[in-house]
Amino acid sequence: MSGPKPLLTIDATTRLCAVYGHPVKHSASPAMHNAALEALGLNWRYLAFYVHPDNLRAAIAGAKAMRFLGLNLTVPHKLLAVEMVDVLDESARTWGAVNTIRFEARDAHGEWRPLGLLDADAATEIRSHGFNTDADAIVRAVWEDLRIHPAQARVLLLGAGGAGRTAALRLAAGGARDLWLVNRTESKAAELAREIAQLFPTVNVHVGYPDSPVELILNATSLGLKPADPSPLDTSRFPVTRADAVYDMIYRPAETPLLRAALDAGRRAANGLGMLLYQGAAALELWAGQPAPVAVMRAALEKNIYGN
Ligand code: ATR
């Protein structure tokens, strides 16, 4: 009888990775990562845990104590975790958020190495190392899906939470010409705009809706996750027709009302599948020390998100 290939047996040597979120049920990361782990022949599993922000510190400590290999963090943990890891990688410091934690121990030469590459049971001291793999994933996905590069771009960014902040900083670092920041809590957009103006003086950063057309509208709010959500874009202030393209970081539902409106208006549009893929591939490479099977991961995500 043919059927799906059986997973390697779970036994006493099976090692764990996980995503923590609040909520987390919508996550396609377990499907993507478990497909990759199987393709790599690793006896590891990737789980999703519903972790309240009040328990995030304890949950990270628990994973460390149980010698997990790594964690991903999603809403609303990415900013909180910056203060909770033992060491911050340059990426997490630069982009101001941690979406990937790698647990590490010392090798025979005293060098810190990924726990996934060592005999984890032999480790005497373990540390958590925080990274950000989201920022580069945004740029790669927006380029692949919409052929828009940050250099000289004019972008309307919706959302100034964790994801919005990372996107804004990465776009500014990539040489964006104009950034318009819109957020429900305007003070957060204003604070982010001040930060960008200081760090990247060549970028024209504004708070509020643009008064001229843009190349890209990028949704980094959580609006669209739930069916009853209003659009994150106030079309009375800025019609979608004034943008060439729309990228929505949300991937479930695969087509948010914002994306539908963009497509109906004949605009290029893409959901967050590509961003999820590339942040996940980079995380797996950090944990496993080998290239991620990107095609396998993409196929698993497409199946999980679009069904078929
Ligand atoms: P993430 O890590 O995904 O960015 P977050 O930091 O909680 O999560 O940010 C969520 C974003 O969605 C914020 O921009 C938030 O706006 P506020 O900063 O005003 O909270 C936005 N958001 C969430 N719910 C919203 C709603 N009902 N209306 C408008 N914006 C909303």
Side-chain angles (χ1 to χ4, degrees):
M1 207 174 75
S2 70
K5 221 169 76 188
L7 285 172
L8 296 170
T9 310
I10 293 180
D11 60 20
T13 66
T14 304
R15 316 300 314 281
L16 293 179
C17 306
V19 57
Y20 291 170
H22 185 272
V24 79
K25 263 197 309 217
H26 68 280
S27 177
S29 288
M32 166 174 72
H33 279 288
N34 285 312
L37 296 174
E38 190 178 352
L40 293 176
L42 293 169
N43 188 14
W44 301 4
R45 294 295 186 284
Y46 186 105
L47 301 174
F49 291 100
Y50 182 75
V51 174
H52 190 278
D54 289 350
N55 295 324
L56 180 61
R57 192 181 290 277
I60 294 171
K64 179 167 148 178
M66 290 187 288
R67 299 171 187 244
F68 278 37
L69 305 176
L71 295 171
N72 284 134
L73 303 173
T74 185
V75 274
H77 300 321
K78 294 178 189 184
L79 295 177
L80 297 171
V82 170
E83 308 298 329
M84 295 182 184
V85 290
D86 299 324
V87 195
L88 269 187
D89 180 67
E90 189 62 28
S91 59
R93 210 172 296 121
T94 306
W95 311 121
V98 170
N99 77 307
T100 300
I101 293 176
R102 180 170 74 187
F103 293 105
E104 300 173 343
R106 291 190 192 275
D107 65 12
H109 308 288
E111 302 289 334
W112 288 104
R113 300 244 292 144
L115 208 48
L117 303 184
L118 299 171
D119 172 6
D121 294 354
T124 51
E125 187 191 355
I126 295 173
R127 73 176 189 183
S128 56
H129 195 163
F131 296 80
N132 186 298
T133 67
D134 279 337
D136 290 343
I138 297 168
V139 168
R140 186 163 173 193
V142 167
W143 171 251
E144 271 194 14
D145 290 341
L146 301 172
R147 292 288 162 216
I148 293 173
H149 194 269
Q152 293 302 315
R154 297 158 53 82
V155 181
L156 166 56
L157 179 64
L158 307 172
R165 185 161 181 276
T166 297
L169 290 169
R170 182 63 185 81
L171 290 168
R177 194 169 88 190
D178 286 276
L179 281 180
W180 284 270
L181 308 179
V182 168
N183 196 50
R184 172 179 58 181
T185 312
E186 197 180 276
S187 58
K188 274 161 73 178
E191 197 183 314
L192 180 56
R194 272 195 298 277
E195 195 179 340
I196 288 174
Q198 208 166 33
L199 289 171
F200 305 101
T202 60
V203 179
N204 300 310
V205 58
H206 323 262
V207 177
Y209 281 99
D211 48 15
S212 52
V214 298
E215 271 123 49
L216 177 67
I217 298 174
L218 177 55
N219 179 41
T221 76
S222 49
L223 284 179
L225 278 174
K226 290 185 248 135
D229 282 344
S231 171
L233 180 70
D234 180 349
T235 49
S236 70
R237 309 280 302 279
F238 195 81
V240 75
T241 47
R242 301 197 78 196
D244 296 337
V246 176
Y247 192 89
D248 199 327
M249 289 191 189
I250 294 173
Y251 58 84
R252 201 189 311 282
E255 191 177 275
T256 58
L258 175 64
L259 291 180
R260 182 73 255 155
L263 290 169
D264 286 348
R267 272 36 196 177
R268 307 199 306 288
N271 67 25
L273 188 151
M275 181 182 164
L276 181 70
L277 172 66
Y278 291 121
Q279 66 75 35
L284 181 56
E285 289 177 4
L286 287 169
W287 300 329
Q290 57 179 308
V294 174
V296 169
M297 296 170 85
R298 182 188 290 280
L301 277 184
E302 286 176 349
K303 185 163 178 215
N304 185 272
I305 292 169
Y306 301 117
N308 54 37

